[in-house]
């Protein structure tokens, strides 16, 4: 089977702004990069005994990690302001639902849906007079990740 490389152009990420989540997603605008969506690692527990000749371990439960999003920051954008404020005042339910969408035409569109909270908002960067305002925020994934297809 030949290798297929999908372009990043057109990838989006959206947030369900309701608490509790309703399944209605609002796009996060001006996204420059998404890192770690659907990532994570499995924990391990030590199973080594006094009779062992080598260290041994067994898998435990997954930690679905973090997702970092960088945007061209717009201080007037409703969603940017919402995410920035969510870091300081998370919802009572403790999480939001996020959905990354990867356009994979002509096959069905792929998505990654995950519950998370805004762990950090790294502030607004103004690197120089010829640059855009940028910001990045990190989402801590706190539950199961659903990937389709």
């Amino acid at each position: 089977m030949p290798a297929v490389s999908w372009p990043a152009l057109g990838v989006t990420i959206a947030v369900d702004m309701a608490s509790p989540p309703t399944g209605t997603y609002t796009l996060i605008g001006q996204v420059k990069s998404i890192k770690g969506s659907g990532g994570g690692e499995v924990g391990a527990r030590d199973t080594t005994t006094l009779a062992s000749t080598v260290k041994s371990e067994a898998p435990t439960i997954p930690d679905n990690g973090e997702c970092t999003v960088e945007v061209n920051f717009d201080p007037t954008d409703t969603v940017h302001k919402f995410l920035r404020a969510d870091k300081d005042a998370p919802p009572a339910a403790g999480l939001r639902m996020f959905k990354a969408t990867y356009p994979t035409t002509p096959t069905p569109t792929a998505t990654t849906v995950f519950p998370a909270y805004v762990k950090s908002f790294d502030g607004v960067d103004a690197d120089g007079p010829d640059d855009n305002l940028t910001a990045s925020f990190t989402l801590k994934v706190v539950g199961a990740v659903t990937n389709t297809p």
Side-chain angles (χ1 to χ4, degrees):
M1 179 173 176
V4 176
S5 295
W6 299 104
L9 181 65
V11 172
T12 61
I13 189 164
V15 58
D16 184 335
M17 296 168 70
S19 180
T22 62
T24 300
Y25 291 92
T26 303
L27 284 179
I28 300 169
Q30 300 195 53
V31 174
K32 294 178 61 163
S33 68
I34 303 168
K35 299 190 185 302
S37 173
E41 64 184 15
V42 172
R45 60 186 167 84
D46 187 358
T47 57
T48 309
T49 68
L50 294 176
S52 298
T53 58
V54 296
K55 201 96 164 117
S56 64
E57 59 183 41
T60 62
I61 58 177
D63 175 347
N64 286 321
E66 298 177 347
C67 176
T68 301
V69 179
E70 183 182 13
V71 297
N72 283 328
F73 185 71
D74 178 353
T76 66
D77 182 277
T78 303
V79 180
H80 289 187
K81 290 191 295 187
F82 174 82
L83 292 167
R84 188 180 201 182
D86 221 36
K87 186 258 311 166
D88 294 323
L95 59 90
R96 303 271 181 214
M97 293 300 293
F98 291 84
K99 178 163 87 171
T101 302
Y102 315 98
T104 51
T105 304
T107 61
T109 298
T111 61
T112 299
V113 177
F114 55 93
Y117 63 88
V118 179
K119 178 180 177 183
S120 66
F121 188 95
D122 292 337
V124 179
D125 295 323
D127 291 329
D130 292 338
D131 293 321
N132 297 319
L133 293 178
T134 60
S136 62
F137 54 92
T138 300
L139 306 171
K140 175 58 182 157
V141 181
V142 292
V145 174
T146 303
N147 293 297
T148 58

